[in-house]
Amino acid sequence: MDKLLLQGGVKLRGEVSIGGAKNAALPIMVASLLARGENVIHRVPGLVDVMTMGKLLANLGAGFHYAPDGLVIDSERIDNHVAPYELVKTMRASVLVLGPLLARSGKARVSLPGGCAIGARPINLHLMGLEKMGAAIELDRGYVIAAAKGLKGAVISLDIPTVTGTENLLMAASLAKGTTVIENAAREPEVVDLANALISMGARIHGAGESMIEVEGVHELNPLDYTIIPDRVETGTFLTIAGITGGDILIRDCRSEHDDALIAKLEETGLIIEKKDSHMRVAGPGRLTSRDVKTMPYPGFPTDMQAQFMALMSVAEGTSVIRETIFENRFMHVAELRRMGADIGIEGGVATVRGVRKLKGTDVMATDLRASASLIVAGLAAEGTTTVHRLYHLDRGYERIEEKLKKLGATVERVRDAR
Ligand code: EPU
């Protein structure tokens, strides 16, 4: 198990380039199951989750390898329809194979993901939508067993605009007979990127990015040749890093419009952000001012940036009230930030962060992906050395982060943790 040692207090300066979006790459890799042949996906980030998805697709019968210009997935022969517990438990996004397997093979056996550090995260809405499309679904010993003799278009109204639920249904509907309408669909850029990838394969999808999406099913889809959008959470994490260190960073290869809600909030705190076509310059003027946030589905403030924003607020001037409305247990970083001297109270889904002048480096434990990122953000501003244990969470979603930080002038070192 690796840990990361960080020396805080250096103003980070220079350029950083953003990789492809994890949460777009995963569903788009799965979309290759809907075609037969060689799919090429460009700008897929080198992440542990991408490797896990590769293993899952290989387990279903697909070929999977890296070529110089992208990730190649050969989906000619898919001869298995089981997503086993061992793979699903390490990555919940594995449930994305449910819709495509049903659409392609008429059957799927996918392990239920179970709970997760940040919340219960049920998949009832994925199942409800597929049932509406004519699938017969049973739950047996922790597995979803689904079968369909040809999926049919349906009107599906989601109680919550679930991201992976919308993606599962989009993929299933692309090969269903007739028209599917998804009401209260998720509007995240990653959903739009998946829809664009499907459209490039020949799918007929209208309204992606809006609350109502219409999909006219087609008989077959062509293999993919597609480039993933930049990762808005990696971009956001570097914005907060510039803010907390009082640095000056040029963030390259990003899409600032995908971070509008975050950028608006960061500007209110005093951070200076200049947006250009595919890059942004961000400069921290010194101590920032506290602001309140409430996490919301896109285009609201993203839950995936809540922990990093909290780290930033822990040293801002004033008090910040942070409401988490998407996941019921996404405050696991609070106890770790407190170990570094942050003054944070929690009541239900509300954290009250009273800014302190300094954090102090110490040993902290990463508990989930974005919580780990927040500890790094905090550690970069803390006095002395911060040691972030259980780094494997971070490797699921941030590509070569220590290299990128070093290039910006940070003193960081990855070492093997004996514990
Ligand atoms: N929900 C239900 N029933 C369902 C589906 C969701 O009650 O059938 C609830 C969840 O429990 C949660 C809320 O709806 O309270 C929203 O969950 P959603 O389904 O939208 O989340 P997800 O699809 O499981 C994706 C991202 C997450 C990100 C969330 C919210 C992927 C692979 N994962 O998860 O990313 O936080 O959307 O934006 O796209 C991360 O990258 O660190 C991460 C956790």
Side-chain angles (χ1 to χ4, degrees):
M1 233 185 264
D2 290 355
K3 59 185 176 186
L4 199 71
L5 269 60
L6 298 154
Q7 301 298 326
V10 179
K11 290 184 195 295
L12 298 195
R13 291 174 194 282
E15 292 187 15
V16 65
S17 177
I18 300 302
K22 165 179 85 78
N23 291 346
L26 297 174
I28 291 171
M29 287 170 72
V30 173
S32 64
L33 293 174
L34 296 167
R36 279 167 212 273
E38 206 166 80
N39 300 270
V40 187
I41 315 176
H42 310 276
R43 197 159 57 197
V44 175
L47 300 171
V48 171
D49 273 9
V50 165
M51 293 314 294
T52 307
M53 185 57 89
K55 269 192 218 158
L56 175 57
L57 297 177
N59 193 61
L60 297 173
F64 169 82
H65 70 272
Y66 279 98
D69 67 332
L71 177 66
V72 181
I73 299 170
D74 184 347
S75 58
E76 187 62 45
R77 221 172 53 108
I78 298 300
D79 51 12
N80 182 14
H81 63 281
V82 183
Y85 177 66
E86 294 67 45
L87 290 172
V88 181
K89 77 166 197 275
T90 59
M91 188 187 64
R92 305 179 56 84
S94 306
V95 299
L96 284 164
V97 299
L98 188 54
L101 280 177
L102 261 182
R104 177 168 172 154
S105 325
K107 53 187 179 180
R109 190 180 151 86
V110 175
S111 172
L112 278 168
C116 150
I118 61 176
R121 303 182 76 181
I123 58 161
N124 57 311
L125 300 171
H126 302 226
L127 303 184
M128 176 279 289
L130 293 170
E131 275 179 335
K132 281 228 153 159
M133 294 174 75
I137 293 183
E138 256 180 69
L139 299 182
D140 185 32
R141 293 165 224 224
Y143 275 78
V144 177
I145 300 165
K149 285 201 189 86
L151 293 169
K152 300 184 302 286
V155 176
I156 302 165
S157 185
L158 298 173
D159 291 342
I160 299 171
T162 159
V163 174
T164 47
T166 303
E167 291 166 348
N168 232 330
L169 297 174
L170 262 183
M171 291 190 275
S174 293
L175 284 182
K177 198 164 175 198
T179 300
T180 300
V181 176
I182 308 174
E183 293 172 346
N184 199 25
R187 300 170 60 193
E188 271 67 6
E190 295 77 17
V191 173
V192 177
D193 209 32
L194 170 66
N196 287 336
L198 291 167
I199 291 167
S200 78
M201 297 167 84
R204 298 207 186 120
I205 300 174
H206 312 279
E210 292 160 33
S211 296
M212 194 168 93
I213 308 182
E214 202 176 278
V215 187
E216 283 171 63
V218 296
H219 192 60
E220 61 177 13
L221 293 172
N222 305 312
L224 270 165
D225 187 346
Y226 192 79
T227 304
I228 306 290
I229 53 168
D231 197 304
R232 66 190 164 106
V233 186
E234 187 189 11
T235 306
T237 304
F238 278 102
L239 288 172
T240 55
I241 285 174
I244 205 160
T245 65
D248 189 339
I249 303 179
L250 185 69
I251 304 179
R252 288 201 179 277
D253 307 315
C254 61
R255 292 268 295 268
S256 66
E257 71 273 24
H258 292 165
D259 277 307
D260 274 349
L262 171 69
I263 290 172
K265 198 50 86 174
L266 291 174
E267 283 178 334
E268 284 180 29
T269 69
L271 204 58
I272 301 156
I273 302 174
E274 281 169 43
K275 296 182 256 181
K276 296 272 164 56
D277 304 332
S278 61
H279 58 268
M280 267 190 275
R281 184 174 157 209
V282 50
R287 196 169 187 208
L288 301 174
T289 310
S290 292
R291 280 289 176 270
D292 299 341
V293 296
K294 180 176 172 184
T295 62
M296 293 291 278
Y298 191 85
F301 189 95
T303 175
D304 289 345
M305 280 303 303
Q306 177 258 108
Q308 302 90 314
F309 187 80
M310 190 183 293
L312 189 64
M313 291 298 97
S314 68
V315 287
E317 168 106 53
T319 298
S320 161
V321 177
I322 300 182
R323 289 187 164 75
E324 172 58 54
T325 74
I326 308 293
F327 293 112
E328 64 275 21
N329 196 24
R330 212 174 198 183
F331 279 150
M332 307 256 288
H333 42 285
V334 169
E336 305 302 307
L337 291 173
R338 280 190 193 138
R339 289 178 51 74
M340 300 175 75
D343 179 357
I344 307 173
I346 309 181
E347 229 182 290
V350 183
T352 305
V353 188
R354 282 166 290 269
V356 295
R357 283 214 161 263
K358 268 261 161 266
L359 294 175
K360 289 190 180 146
T362 184
D363 288 270
V364 285
M365 188 83 82
T367 47
D368 74 73
L369 170 53
R370 308 304 171 188
S372 342
S374 80
L375 300 177
I376 290 179
V377 174
L380 288 169
E383 228 169 57
T385 306
T386 299
T387 307
V388 183
H389 298 267
R390 297 210 179 143
L391 209 57
Y392 59 86
H393 290 292
L394 192 82
D395 294 333
R396 295 186 47 195
Y398 291 86
E399 190 178 7
R400 297 182 288 108
I401 188 142
E402 66 267 33
E403 256 176 61
K404 292 186 180 185
L405 291 172
K406 271 185 197 158
K407 232 183 113 204
L408 294 171
T411 308
V412 288
E413 193 190 347
R414 180 186 286 257
V415 291
R416 202 146 273 277
D417 199 340
R419 284 191 278 172

